[in-house]
Amino acid sequence: MWPSFARSALRKYTGLASQTLVRAMSSSSGPTSPYTTLSISRPAEAITHVELHRPEKRNAMNKAFWSEMVHCFNEITVDPECRVVVFSAAGKIFTAGIDLMDMAGDILQPEGDDTARISWNLRKTVTSYQETFSVIEKCPKPVVVAVHGACVGGGIDLITACDIRLCTQDAWFQVKEVDIGLAADVGTLQRLPKVIGSRSLVNELALTARKMYADEAKSSGLVSRVFANKEDMMAGALEMAGEIADRSPVAVQGTKINLIYARDHSVADGLNYVATWNMSMLQTQDVMKSVQAAMEKKSPKAVTFSKL
Ligand SMILES: CC/C=C\C=C\CC(=O)SCCNC(=O)CCNC(=O)[C@H](O)C(C)(C)COP(=O)(O)OP(=O)(O)OC[C@H]1O[C@@H](n2cnc3c(N)ncnc32)[C@H](O)[C@@H]1OP(=O)(O)O
């Protein structure tokens, strides 16, 4: 049975019977065409659910995955019906990271006639894999990621590109790359230090590949909430996504873009950027609508915002 807050959230956002949505949010039967590793659904208005879907291989990231993610998030970026994304995984765990069988050729036997060409091709491979997770950050719609079980290697690259991280009590996280002889190169070493306050802890995790469990993930700031089980977590993720989806998409998307800009620049540069941003965006009708609703003590849900 779903907790009462989840049932009320589900009713609130869709008006449908909660059981219908429970089914929509739980693991789907398989990947959604044209994808072979991702299942895409719309559990509630304005919310897109992206689910990793290779459970029999523990959602290991094969060649198809690396390109499907880029296609998927580019679609979401331009989809006016989507205001927020919930990202989760089917099966026993979140992900086992890179597919060690499928990817070995690209990495261990790169093509090229000489050292320069081999190196150049390898560089292109790494930068294209980087894009697989950078598209999450470039997408202006906030992404709430919900992790259960193991989140290994490439999984850390993925979740650190997301905006809000949730996990279950049984979740564990592992920056595994040193164990397979490489320096992580698709985002973890760049983003994890911006997520976790302690540089020492980041260094420890990345240099030793030790597992970090849910409680430490919460206390270190890697995740903002821990749930007893996956069902509760998905309900919590959907409720949070609904809160975001209720608000002005101009405000929400501008907030994501400016938070990421501020993370990567000085305070002065960030202030300059947001001033230029808002010299246009403050002119949106959404400000007047939102202020009026607030004055009338109505919830943002009561306001109809134009699509963006
Ligand atoms: C340019 C480079 C870009 C990115 C680089 C990223 C680096 C990394 O991601 S490093 C991390 C690599 N991953 C691993 O080392 C994890 C390996 N897997 C495991 O340790 C375990 O599978 C587990 C995650 C702890 C889960 O254990 P369990 O639930 O007991 O499942 P298994 O029985 O081990 O596996 C079931 C099934 O899945 C296959 N599989 C699991 N992990 C991978 C993987 N990483 N690659 C390919 N296949 C994987 C496993 O072989 C089993 O398949 P069967 O066909 O059933 O034998």
Side-chain angles (χ1 to χ4, degrees), residues 54-61 66 92-93 95-103 107 125-126 129 133 150 152-155 157 172 174-180 182 184-186 211:
R54 262 190 106 210
E56 70 292 347
K57 295 291 179 188
R58 304 293 181 262
N59 299 312
M61 299 164 169
W66 295 93
K92 193 175 157 189
I93 67 167
T95 178
I98 195 168
D99 189 313
L100 297 167
M101 316 302 279
D102 199 37
M103 306 300 294
I107 293 164
T125 301
V126 173
Y129 291 171
F133 304 129
V152 181
D157 297 290
W172 53 271
Q174 191 175 24
V175 183
K176 179 82 172 160
E177 280 81 348
V178 290
D179 277 354
I180 62 162
L182 53 98
D185 54 4
V186 290
K211 293 177 184 176

Side-chain angles (χ1 to χ4, degrees), residues 33-232:
S33 178
Y35 306 119
T36 60
T37 65
L38 303 174
S39 170
I40 316 297
S41 60
R42 167 98 359 118
E45 194 183 336
I47 302 174
T48 299
H49 181 205
V50 180
E51 189 183 40
L52 287 175
H53 213 294
R54 262 190 106 210
E56 70 292 347
K57 295 291 179 188
R58 304 293 181 262
N59 299 312
M61 299 164 169
N62 62 0
K63 273 186 196 158
F65 164 84
W66 295 93
S67 56
E68 288 179 6
M69 279 285 290
V70 177
H71 185 271
C72 172
F73 274 88
N74 284 341
E75 293 276 302
I76 289 171
T77 292
V78 296
D79 177 4
E81 304 298 330
C82 170
R83 291 187 186 175
V84 58
V85 179
V86 173
F87 195 107
S88 68
K92 193 175 157 189
I93 67 167
F94 186 75
T95 178
I98 195 168
D99 189 313
L100 297 167
M101 316 302 279
D102 199 37
M103 306 300 294
D106 274 5
I107 293 164
L108 300 180
Q109 293 156 330
E111 289 181 3
D113 292 340
D114 59 24
T115 306
R117 288 169 180 80
I118 292 170
S119 302
W120 198 247
N121 287 336
L122 203 41
R123 189 177 204 288
K124 278 196 282 188
T125 301
V126 173
T127 52
S128 82
Y129 291 171
Q130 290 173 350
E131 187 63 9
T132 294
F133 304 129
S134 293
V135 284
I136 299 174
E137 207 168 76
K138 288 177 189 168
C139 174
K141 326 285 169 81
V143 180
V144 180
V145 67
V147 179
H148 72 288
C151 176
V152 181
I156 310 292
D157 297 290
L158 191 161
I159 66 166
T160 51
C162 298
D163 303 290
I164 298 170
R165 284 165 292 279
L166 314 175
C167 77
T168 51
Q169 193 62 59
D170 75 350
W172 53 271
F173 303 84
Q174 191 175 24
V175 183
K176 179 82 172 160
E177 280 81 348
V178 290
D179 277 354
I180 62 162
L182 53 98
D185 54 4
V186 290
T188 290
L189 300 185
Q190 292 66 41
R191 295 191 177 102
L192 191 61
K194 313 259 190 187
V195 171
I196 290 180
S198 164
R199 194 83 196 191
S200 178
L201 178 59
V202 171
N203 295 347
E204 182 193 329
L205 295 171
L207 294 170
T208 68
R210 84 158 161 87
K211 293 177 184 176
M212 180 161 82
Y213 294 90
D215 289 343
E216 190 183 6
K218 172 81 163 55
S219 66
S220 69
L222 178 60
V223 301
S224 49
R225 292 199 205 172
V226 179
F227 294 84
N229 54 54
K230 189 176 177 191
E231 194 179 29
D232 289 357

